[in-house]
Amino acid sequence: MTSTKLGDNFLQIPKLDVSSSNWVIYKDKLMWSVNAHGLLKHIDGMAKEPADPISNCAPNVLLNKAETALDMQWKKDLKVWKQGKAIVKQQIA
């Protein structure tokens, strides 16, 4: 029985040629790679930046317990969204 190990080149994307002669291969590998990372929504526009649920509060106003929990969850969600966006940008570049 032979086992196959996925190497470092599994998700490598070729550079897009200036003449775009490798566009089809580039696009397919980019989409496969982004999809393998679970970030395809960043390409197709379905991933939206999480909206701040308490953005209408004035600066330096103390938040109640529920608002603090909402704010903390939003910050976590925003961090995940920004990381996904950065990974997709890196894959494209």
Side-chain angles (χ1 to χ4, degrees):
M1 176 185 266
T2 306
S3 66
T4 303
K5 182 178 178 185
L6 299 176
D8 292 335
N9 64 348
F10 175 64
L11 297 175
Q12 282 186 343
I13 302 164
K15 291 287 183 191
L16 181 59
D17 189 79
V18 176
S19 68
S20 299
S21 60
N22 66 337
W23 167 248
V24 174
I25 293 169
Y26 169 81
K27 180 184 173 212
D28 284 347
K29 289 201 172 201
L30 172 68
M31 299 302 273
W32 294 335
S33 178
V34 170
N35 194 24
H37 283 94
L39 299 170
L40 199 54
K41 289 183 176 185
H42 283 273
I43 295 276
D44 65 16
M46 297 301 293
K48 303 293 183 194
E49 181 175 353
D52 186 351
I54 54 172
S55 61
N56 58 349
C57 291
N60 301 323
V61 172
L62 292 177
L63 303 176
N64 64 35
K65 190 174 183 178
E67 290 171 333
T68 300
L70 274 174
D71 190 52
M72 289 176 59
Q73 185 60 48
W74 169 71
K75 287 178 180 175
K76 288 178 187 175
D77 294 345
L78 184 62
K79 180 181 178 184
V80 169
W81 181 83
K82 284 183 176 182
Q83 287 174 336
K85 182 179 173 183
I87 289 169
V88 170
K89 283 183 174 181
Q90 183 181 31
Q91 293 287 20
I92 292 170

